[in-house]
Amino acid sequence: DAKTTQPPSMDCAEGRAANLPCNHSTISGNEYVYWYRQIHSQGPQYIIHGLKNNETNEMASLIITEDRKSSTLILPHATLRDTAVYYCIVRVNFGNEKLTFGTGTRLTIIP
Amino acid sequence: GAVVSQHPSWVICKSGTSVKIECRSLDFQATTMFWYRQFPKQSLMLMATSNEGSKATYEQGVEKDKFLINHASLTLSTLTVTSAHPEDSSFYICSAGSREGLDETQYFGPGTRLLVL
């Protein structure tokens, strides 16, 4: 799996959009970008994933650059419950392919 | 999304005893499940890949005789920590893949916190 680079920490004001960047410059053509988050003392929660097109669901939006070397996860209206560690992971979309977790970004939502 | 459960959510045991942790996919079948371990203030580390009907694949440095994995059905995988010691105290998390057409997403259980005294 390609490696990813994320800032170790970020703050965001409650109610504002939180934009979390991720660099994956060595991503392969068949690797997807996945985002998970882990709230303290819980298992990771799936957020969103994409291959090359931008994606949106009820939780977030995923913006992938045209060259696929970086992406941004957007939480449109951050709440205090969005405080968590966010992990950006690239992996091929096969059932027996593992997820390799880096150190992620610790996002703190400020009241 | 799909739901993965783990049991127990926490366990305290004496050194030298064995502990079994169950991981279930509640509304889907998973031929492959994964077991992770997380120490305080660290990221998740993959321990092993659990394959239904066959032997598990262990990551380098993980003792297969100490961490026994059984994937007896498409909805259940178990991790048994044998002869547990205080250094095995950790947060153990499983995941399972849910497939919709060509798309496959890993979903995680809530984790099991193990404390070995």
Side-chain angles (χ1 to χ4, degrees), chain B:
Chain B
V3 179
V4 177
S5 70
Q6 282 184 242
H7 178 80
S9 56
W10 59 270
V11 58
I12 302 173
C13 70
K14 293 181 179 180
S15 185
T17 61
S18 294
V19 175
K20 179 185 284 188
I21 302 170
E22 292 185 349
C23 176
R24 294 182 185 272
S25 55
L26 296 187
D27 49 0
F28 65 99
Q29 295 182 331
T31 55
T32 302
M33 292 183 176
F34 299 89
W35 287 95
Y36 296 80
R37 181 167 54 180
Q38 186 176 33
F39 292 106
K41 297 187 178 180
Q42 294 185 22
S43 189
L44 281 77
M45 294 296 295
L46 180 68
M47 298 176 66
T49 302
S50 171
N51 303 297
E52 189 268 336
S54 65
K55 292 183 178 180
T57 304
Y58 290 82
E59 295 297 299
Q60 191 172 9
V62 178
E63 299 176 57
K64 63 179 181 179
D65 294 329
K66 181 170 182 62
F67 299 99
L68 301 179
I69 291 173
N70 184 284
H71 195 152
S73 77
L74 289 172
T75 59
L76 173 64
S77 175
T78 60
L79 169 68
T80 301
V81 183
T82 63
S83 186
H85 291 286
E87 58 265 30
D88 298 322
S89 299
S90 189
F91 190 46
Y92 293 85
I93 310 166
C94 71
S95 72
S98 176
R99 179 164 290 277
E100 293 182 18
L102 297 178
D103 213 13
E104 187 266 346
T105 301
Q106 289 283 323
Y107 293 93
F108 287 80
T112 296
R113 195 162 298 280
L114 171 64
L115 176 61
V116 184
L117 302 177

Side-chain angles (χ1 to χ4, degrees), chain A:
Chain A
D1 291 342
K3 290 185 177 179
T4 62
T5 303
Q6 299 178 252
S9 64
M10 293 180 63
D11 292 340
C12 178
E14 186 178 16
R16 305 296 293 271
N19 297 279
L20 291 89
C22 179
N23 285 320
H24 31 80
S25 59
T26 59
I27 191 171
S28 300
N30 62 347
E31 288 182 314
Y32 285 65
V33 181
Y34 287 81
W35 282 85
Y36 286 81
R37 71 181 182 184
Q38 186 176 28
I39 296 171
H40 184 63
S41 297
Q42 298 182 23
Q45 178 187 22
Y46 165 77
I47 301 173
I48 199 168
H49 73 282
L51 182 62
K52 54 184 177 181
N53 297 322
N54 297 337
E55 302 287 343
T56 295
N57 62 21
E58 64 278 5
M59 289 183 67
S61 295
L62 173 60
I63 308 298
I64 303 174
T65 58
E66 194 168 339
D67 63 7
R68 302 208 325 122
K69 293 184 176 182
S70 65
S71 61
T72 301
L73 178 74
I74 301 173
L75 307 178
H77 304 287
T79 70
L80 298 179
R81 285 181 290 185
D82 292 322
T83 293
V85 178
Y86 287 75
Y87 295 98
C88 167
I89 302 168
V90 293
R91 111 188 230 275
V92 294
N93 195 7
F94 294 152
N96 59 354
E97 288 294 321
K98 60 187 179 184
L99 290 166
T100 301
F101 284 80
T103 53
T105 295
R106 181 172 298 277
L107 176 66
T108 302
I109 306 302
I110 310 297

